[in-house]
Amino acid sequence: MPFQLYVLRSALQARRSRGFRGGILGGDAQGGAWTITLWDSDADMRAFRNSGAHRGAMPHLLKWCDEASHTHWTVDAPALPTLEEAYQRLSASGKISKVLNPSALQASGRAVSEGLPRLGFSLKPKGGRST
């Protein structure tokens, strides 16, 4: 199954997931994929991450990507971070994910490519409740 189909299925899964408040799917100038999500609780986010389409996609990350990273933080704000805030946070505290053929950038320990992510589209919870 191609990467884009997993993205679509994971996005639909998120929209139906308990505690999902909203999200953004986007990309960057180097062809990277960005996902930013907001959840009611860490437990809700982990339940999504560890099940369904998202869980099925994660083993493929090893071969699909030559760069991968993630970060997680808790905020009191009721809205998604801006693309700039997400980029800064990933730059400062991103954790490198394992890939089979890391790029030179990934191998050097850098968690993010140059330049801000670009907005692709917004995700809203099924039923319309959003940030």
Side-chain angles (χ1 to χ4, degrees):
M1 183 178 336
F3 174 75
Q4 293 84 353
L5 190 53
Y6 276 106
V7 170
L8 177 61
R9 286 183 173 180
S10 294
L12 293 172
Q13 175 192 349
R15 289 190 67 225
R16 294 185 304 263
S17 294
R18 178 176 178 220
F20 179 69
R21 296 182 61 201
I24 297 171
L25 297 178
D28 61 30
Q30 292 77 34
W34 280 73
T35 305
I36 303 166
T37 57
L38 183 64
W39 297 87
D40 285 340
S41 70
D42 287 346
D44 291 335
M45 182 276 299
R46 283 191 301 274
F48 161 77
R49 180 193 69 194
N50 297 335
S51 66
H54 188 273
R55 182 176 183 198
M58 289 298 92
H60 299 289
L61 182 82
L62 290 166
K63 63 181 182 259
W64 280 337
C65 301
D66 63 358
E67 296 177 9
S69 60
H70 64 278
T71 192
H72 173 133
W73 73 96
T74 302
V75 296
D76 292 328
L80 285 163
T82 66
L83 295 174
E84 293 84 2
E85 290 169 327
Y87 181 86
Q88 292 302 321
R89 180 62 69 135
L90 189 59
S91 296
S93 63
K95 294 175 179 58
I96 302 293
S97 299
K98 183 179 179 181
V99 295
L100 293 177
N101 298 298
S103 70
L105 184 70
Q106 176 96 355
S108 75
R110 186 157 177 186
V112 64
S113 297
E114 292 296 325
L116 294 176
R118 298 180 304 244
L119 175 62
F121 62 92
S122 296
L123 295 175
K124 297 188 185 317
K126 188 169 182 166
R129 183 181 71 107
S130 66
T131 61

